[in-house]
Each structure stands twice: as structure tokens, then as C-alpha cells.
Amino acid sequence: MMLDSQRDSKIPENSTNDFNLIIESTYDHPTLTDYYINLTPFITLSIFVAALLVILNISIFCTTVAKVLKQVDATQWGPSIFLCSLYPCIGCAALATILVPKAWLICHTVMHLCFTVGAVALRELCFRYIESEANYIKSTDAAALVFNTPPCCCCCRCFPNAMPSKPKLCILRYMIWQMPFIQGSIMLVLNLIYYGEQDLYKNVMIYFMPFIVCSILLGIWALNIIVRVVTTMRSGCGLMKKMFCLQLILLLCKLQYMLLDSQLNSVTLGNSYPMNHTVYKQTIINLLILIEMVLVSILAQNAYKTSPQENGK
């Protein structure tokens, strides 16, 4: 009787352990060796298509650079080319995620930081169009700073428009510059936690989200104010298109990524370890990002269709 009771007590424990192993094998990232030994036709085809999309994106970037060098003033080459280079960089990060599934958070961090440094580059480009901040302040047609702009247009209706001044522009500059520093630091900490102890990452990640969201909102708000002001003075520069392309990075690589990541969990994908649900899910999401980045690159290229005369107006 005692043996039977001991045997019965071991059964639930063993079944629980087996269940945990099944969960881990379904959602864990495979090692690089296991991944490439057990490649499936879908993953192989995905790698091939992803590589082609990256090559296409790089070719679009090269075409855009040639157009920028012809149609844009030399003082604007640096920020313009840097902005256009973000999309092939994101494509390379998405391809790297497919090639090395376990490095997904590093690649996701690269995508995330592309937006933050892109915001800094776009702000720099804005003032290159009007020569400098000082020139903007001295300009007779300097437009007022409109604080009632997205994404804080609802809560900033009470703020009156303000005439530009050095302190105000300095505050806006710091609001944009804080994004790469704050979010870079947060993403670095999250990477260290994830690759050190994944269970801890799942528990603490949610506590970092408010800081990331607030940082992004402040940065986008300040950038929107500057872009709209400069657009009133240089309407032919296509700044709103450039701003839209930059915001697409955030929408497609962050918000869309999070939505698809949660939605695809309700669908059974893949098999058992190593080509499990997580591998298939990440491959699908990153293939979609690669396709979208090609389209965004084309859209960004269209932002430079204006002539040099229009850029100088």
C-alpha cells in the first residue's frame, strides 16, 4: 500500500515535469547547431526570400543616395543619407533574426534604436534646410512654435503658440536627444537581463514600458513641432514625408511586432523543438517587416523628388 501511494504521488510530479518540458521545447529558441541541422523547407525558403529583400532594399538605398547627391544641397547630404540608410539596416536586422533566432532581442533593439537616432538625424536635417537654429530665430518669416501637435495635441490645447527663442529650441532639442540615450540604456539593461536570465526578463520587462512610452511620446512631440514649423518655411522639402517614413519604423517594428507576437500565439505553428512555434512566428513577423521596409524605402525615395530649386525656397 505504501509503495502504491508513493508511486501515485510521483505520477503528477512526472507529468508536470513533462508538461513543462513540452512548453519549453515549444517556445524556447533553438541553438544555432540544432537550428541549421533541422532546417525545414519553409525556413529555408524564408531565408532565401529575406536575403533577396535585403539586397533589393540596399539597391533602393543606393539609388536614393544617387538621387540625394544630385538633388540635395551638400550641407544636407549627411542627415539625408543617414535617414535613408535606416531602412536597409532594419532589413539586415530582420534577416539576422531569421538566421540567428536566439539573437532576436539584439536585432529588435537595433530596429528600436534606428527610430531614435533617426529622429535626431531628422531634427538636424530640418535645421540644415534653414541653415541653423540661430538663422531660424533671426528670420523675419520665422513661424511660431505650435505645441498643439500630435501625439500630445489633446492634452496641449491650452498651450498658446510661442515665438521661437534659443531656450525653447534648446528644450525641444533635448526632448529629441533623450530618446537614444534613455531608450538605449533601457534596451541595454533588458538585453543583459534576457541573455542572463529569461524568466527575470519576463517579470521585469513590463516595468520598463512606461519609461519607453513616455520617452517616445516626448521625442515625437518635439520632433513634430520642429518639422511642422520648418515645413511652413520650406514647403518643398518633403519633411512631412520623411517624418511619416520615420514614424513607420516605430509602427511596423515595435507596435506591429508586439501585436503579431501576441496574436500568432493563438495559432499553432511549427513542430516540436528545434523548429518550434517561436521560430516560425519570428520568421513570419520578420519576413513581413522586410517586405514593409522595402516599401518604406521606396516611399522615402519619393520624398526626394523635389528639385534643388524647391529645396532652397
Side-chain angles (χ1 to χ4, degrees), residues 254-265:
K254 195 69 180 178
L255 296 180
Q256 176 188 257
Y257 195 104
M258 293 170 64
L259 287 173
L260 288 177
D261 186 67
S262 60
Q263 291 299 316
L264 288 176
N265 281 335

Side-chain angles (χ1 to χ4, degrees), residues 62 290 299:
C62 294
L290 279 162
L299 185 61

Side-chain angles (χ1 to χ4, degrees), residues 83-101:
L83 279 171
C84 295
S85 69
L86 296 177
Y87 313 113
C89 284
I90 292 171
C92 291
L95 175 61
T97 307
I98 298 174
L99 293 174
V100 188

Side-chain angles (χ1 to χ4, degrees), residues 240-276:
M240 294 304 292
K241 283 185 180 179
K242 297 178 180 72
M243 178 70 179
F244 178 66
C245 292
L246 184 65
Q247 288 175 325
L248 282 177
I249 295 177
L250 182 66
L251 292 173
L252 299 176
C253 299
K254 195 69 180 178
L255 296 180
Q256 176 188 257
Y257 195 104
M258 293 170 64
L259 287 173
L260 288 177
D261 186 67
S262 60
Q263 291 299 316
L264 288 176
N265 281 335
S266 60
V267 182
T268 303
L269 299 170
N271 303 307
S272 58
Y273 183 91
M275 311 311 288
N276 54 18

Side-chain angles (χ1 to χ4, degrees), residues 142-195:
L145 297 173
V146 181
F147 296 111
N148 185 22
T149 58
C152 301
C153 51
C154 296
C155 55
C156 298
R157 290 184 179 276
C158 57
F159 290 174
N161 297 346
M163 292 308 296
S165 64
K166 195 170 183 179
K168 293 186 182 74
L169 292 177
C170 189
I171 292 171
L172 292 175
R173 185 198 315 145
Y174 291 147
M175 288 170 67
I176 296 170
W177 269 98
Q178 55 82 23
M179 284 199 296
F181 287 104
I182 291 178
Q183 294 179 51
S185 301
I186 291 174
M187 295 306 293
L188 175 62
V189 171
L190 288 176
N191 273 269
L192 292 174
I193 294 173
Y194 177 80
Y195 291 106

Side-chain angles (χ1 to χ4, degrees), residues 1-67:
M1 291 292 291
M2 290 181 65
L3 289 173
D4 291 340
S5 62
Q6 288 177 358
R7 193 181 298 113
D8 292 340
S9 65
K10 288 181 180 179
I11 290 173
E13 183 180 351
N14 291 335
S15 61
T16 303
N17 291 335
D18 291 341
F19 179 75
N20 290 335
L21 286 173
I22 292 171
I23 294 296
E24 289 176 2
S25 65
T26 303
Y27 293 99
D28 274 3
H29 292 87
T31 62
L32 206 58
T33 305
D34 291 340
Y35 180 67
Y36 281 102
I37 288 176
N38 297 277
L39 280 178
T40 61
F42 173 75
I43 300 297
T44 306
L45 180 62
S46 298
I47 292 172
F48 176 71
V49 172
L52 289 180
L53 289 170
V54 169
I55 294 170
L56 177 60
N57 208 330
I58 292 172
S59 65
I60 294 170
F61 167 69
C62 294
T63 307
T64 307
V65 169
K67 185 177 289 188

